[in-house]
Amino acid sequence: MRRYLGLLFRYRGREGTIAWAFHRISGVGVWLFVILHVIDIYLIGGNPAAYDELLAFYASPVGRVMEVLLGAALLYHALNGMRIIIIDLWPAMTVHHRKVWWANWIIFFGLGIPGAAIILLPLYRDQLDGLLRTLGVS
Amino acid sequence: MRVSPRSSGRIKPSGRGTEVAIWYLMRVTGVLLFVMALAHFSILHFIWDPAEQTSEFVTRERWNNLFWRAYDWTLLMLVLFHSFVGMRTVILDYIHGARARVIIMSSMWILAGILFVIGSLVVFTLPGLET
Ligand code: HEM
């Protein structure tokens, strides 16, 4: 196991190591979900009742937390992938690689936090409504 | 895989062979996925909610439309190519035995083939397309 962890982190550098390891982990993670997702969509034709049951799980609290993790993996991989492409094809950007890296995280949280709030809304909608009512807003 | 200290991506292989083509195709499909996969996620997770997405909903609301069928099939092709070729890099990095590589990579291509077939089948044959 240590040997494999060592392999995962064998590329040394600071932001670079983290960027690379996260890119790999998120890529493999989203790939695993894609396998499940092609199968679940296939069920719409093959076995709609089974599809509906699985979707009910996706909409459950546990399902929604997993949905947020999936979205985070996809968003990180997408942003970091664009960062790799930009720096590889436009080497002059290397001077600004730190800024690009931090800009990535600003976009990640800037889009990710509101996104997670929307996905998780059904878990706290009652509390939110209650709060708005006591404040006299609605 | 050799990693670039600048971008933390794979270093572009030298020459003009398959490996260079793969390097470019990962980037081309990556840019297309950036637009198409993020749009797909945003539409189905922010605009719609999984609680609404019954099989009935997909048939009536999404796949009644040729545009979305074509969109979803294109996305399927892009993601199968990008993720399976990406996984090939990952596997070649960790699996070194020649026999193990052949076994694992053959299983991977079979899995990709199955997903290609069942994914295409349902997009092309599910009834409900309004023309
Ligand atoms: C959304 C936009 C996406 C962009 C911009 C993107 C970009 C990239 C790039 C540029 C690479 C190559 C890195 C390199 O050669 O060093 C890569 C690798 C990879 N991508 Fe993506 N990708 C995207 C979506 C996806 C999706 C949806 C999946 C999974 C279903 C995925 C799975 C992978 C895998 C498994 C790798 C290999 C990782 C590695 O070698 O460590 N990607 N991606």
Side-chain angles (χ1 to χ4, degrees):
Chain A
M1 192 61 210
R2 274 199 54 189
R3 180 161 159 256
Y4 290 100
L5 283 177
L7 272 171
L8 186 59
F9 290 99
R10 94 189 140 177
Y11 167 64
R12 293 186 197 287
R14 267 184 308 182
E15 292 92 350
T17 321
I18 299 172
W20 177 80
F22 281 12
H23 197 75
R24 180 152 279 195
I25 294 164
S26 58
V28 174
V30 180
W31 172 72
L32 287 171
F33 173 74
V34 165
I35 298 173
L36 173 67
H37 191 37
V38 176
I39 297 171
D40 70 46
I41 293 298
Y42 174 71
L43 289 176
I44 296 176
N47 187 345
Y51 170 84
D52 289 346
E53 224 168 280
L54 186 60
L55 254 284
F57 168 72
Y58 288 172
S60 72
V62 177
R64 282 177 194 276
V65 172
M66 294 171 75
E67 189 186 342
V68 169
L69 292 175
L70 170 69
L74 179 67
L75 184 58
Y76 174 82
H77 189 94
L79 291 170
N80 189 61
M82 287 305 285
R83 187 189 61 79
I84 292 173
I85 294 168
I86 290 168
I87 292 185
D88 280 348
L89 297 185
W90 189 9
M93 282 304 283
T94 311
V95 189
H96 303 291
H97 78 273
R98 279 224 138 135
K99 278 181 227 152
V100 179
W101 168 246
W102 287 111
N104 250 331
W105 286 110
I106 292 170
I107 302 171
F108 178 83
F109 285 108
L111 296 177
I113 292 173
I118 295 172
I119 291 173
L120 299 175
L121 182 62
L123 306 190
Y124 62 85
R125 182 173 274 138
D126 290 348
Q127 286 81 344
L128 186 65
D129 284 349
L131 182 68
L132 291 178
R133 234 175 289 116
T134 27
L135 292 174
V137 184
S138 68
Chain B
M1 170 177 90
R2 290 180 49 236
V3 180
S4 158
R6 295 160 176 270
S7 69
S8 85
R10 183 182 176 193
I11 290 179
K12 184 172 145 189
S14 54
R16 323 193 75 233
T18 324
E19 290 303 320
V20 193
I22 284 178
W23 188 88
Y24 278 109
L25 284 170
M26 281 306 278
R27 279 147 184 79
V28 173
T29 53
V31 172
L32 294 171
L33 283 167
F34 186 86
V35 177
M36 291 187 71
L38 290 182
H40 170 82
F41 189 92
S42 304
I43 293 167
L44 289 146
H45 299 258
F46 302 144
I47 298 179
W48 299 98
D49 186 274
E52 311 167 297
Q53 293 169 20
T54 56
S55 49
E56 154 82 24
F57 162 89
V58 178
T59 314
R60 185 171 34 77
E61 201 74 53
R62 303 278 310 161
W63 284 5
N64 58 343
N65 183 317
L66 185 61
F67 175 81
W68 288 117
R69 292 217 193 202
Y71 185 101
D72 287 351
W73 189 74
T74 309
L75 185 58
L76 175 70
M77 294 303 109
L78 288 170
V79 82
L80 286 182
F81 178 88
H82 182 96
S83 66
F84 276 86
V85 172
M87 284 304 293
R88 169 184 168 273
T89 306
V90 176
I91 287 165
L92 295 184
D93 267 357
Y94 300 121
I95 308 293
H96 299 289
R99 235 177 92 81
R101 275 189 176 181
V102 171
I103 294 170
I104 293 175
M105 285 316 299
S106 321
S107 327
M108 291 291 281
W109 301 133
I110 292 170
L111 177 61
I114 293 173
L115 297 179
F116 177 94
V117 171
I118 68 172
S120 304
L121 198 69
V122 69
V123 189
F124 288 128
T125 65
L126 194 79
L129 182 64
E130 291 156 13
T131 45

